[in-house]
Amino acid sequence: MLKLPDYCSIYTAEALAISHALDIIKQDSINKSIILSDSLSTFKSIQNHYQPNSISQKIQNQISFLQTNAQTISLIWIPSHIGIPGNELADTYAKQSISSPHSIILCSHTLQDSKHFIADYILKNWQHTWSTLRTKLNEIKPSILPWPTIPLPRRHEVILNRLRIGHTWLTHKHLMTKTNPEPCLSCGVTPTVKHIICSCLEHNDVRVNLKLADNLYEALGPDPDNIQKIFTFLKLTKFYNLI
């Protein structure tokens, strides 16, 4: 039983199992061998002689070396999960190897595993940093993962993105005109996108009738129904052309 680092992929584990079997064949000078595996993807990659990945290239070289020593190697694919006793036993030991003290610890990994590990590490740290901030942006979008693309007219895309970043003509025109910001006539506070959409008393009836979300995450998120409610709200309150 072999155990790889946690960041290795299933493909790496299945391919290294074949590579390890070839090492045993070489070490014990076995003249005729059959390696059975349920990993069809590994076998296909071994057959790729034009652009093999690093581990497939290693297996190809191992097989070539053994064949030059007149050792016969056969690779046979067997379907998984159909009750073949030997394959079921191999799966049992593979699961046990995760926690078994008898497992041989390998430090092997592929370049692709390293890339995935680094990318995952960067994303986790980026998410942690983003989550610790207290800004209007991460209030709207708490995750750094991309939102699904929703087809919208160009004008709607502009309005929605201005609302999401909080920079609109309605809330920032005083910067352009070099005047003092005008307070909300109903609430007496400086208007912001959050105030207009979530809490302004003047438009509370419209908000309730539309069942508009009371937080920016839902109101301005990627849900198509909520997006449609936002544009309906802007038109009913006559804010549409002021964004």
Side-chain angles (χ1 to χ4, degrees), residues 31-45:
N31 291 328
K32 283 189 175 183
S33 307
I34 299 175
I35 298 176
L36 300 99
S37 172
D38 60 11
S39 177
L40 186 60
S41 59
T42 303
F43 282 159
K44 286 184 176 180
S45 63

Side-chain angles (χ1 to χ4, degrees), residues 43-158:
F43 282 159
K44 286 184 176 180
S45 63
I46 293 172
Q47 291 176 325
N48 182 0
H49 292 277
Y50 297 100
Q51 291 182 318
N53 56 40
S54 58
I55 193 167
S56 296
Q57 191 173 35
K58 178 186 178 183
I59 293 173
Q60 290 169 358
N61 291 337
Q62 287 176 289
I63 293 174
S64 178
F65 177 82
L66 293 171
Q67 288 175 338
T68 57
N69 290 338
Q71 291 172 274
T72 303
I73 310 295
S74 298
L75 302 177
I76 297 180
W77 173 71
I78 51 175
S80 59
H81 308 300
I82 61 170
I84 298 175
N87 192 46
E88 296 296 335
L89 185 61
D91 285 344
T92 299
Y93 277 107
K95 292 174 183 176
Q96 290 179 4
S97 68
I98 297 173
S99 57
S100 173
H102 303 294
S103 299
I104 300 171
I105 307 298
L106 297 182
C107 295
S108 302
H109 60 274
T110 66
L111 176 61
Q112 203 63 27
D113 291 327
S114 299
K115 288 181 177 179
H116 286 158
F117 175 78
I118 292 169
D120 187 57
Y121 177 81
I122 291 172
L123 285 175
K124 285 181 179 177
N125 277 272
W126 182 11
Q127 180 65 66
H128 175 73
T129 303
W130 182 253
S131 299
T132 56
L133 299 175
R134 291 294 179 266
T135 69
K136 58 189 176 187
L137 292 179
N138 64 3
E139 183 180 355
I140 295 171
K141 191 174 186 297
S143 171
I144 62 171
L145 297 177
W147 273 338
T149 302
I150 299 173
L152 292 172
R154 172 64 179 168
R155 175 61 179 158
H156 283 196
E157 283 187 353
V158 171

Side-chain angles (χ1 to χ4, degrees), residues 164-176:
R164 284 172 173 171
I165 64 174
H167 293 177
T168 69
W169 173 254
L170 182 64
T171 58
H172 287 69
K173 63 182 178 181
H174 61 280
L175 299 177
M176 306 297 181

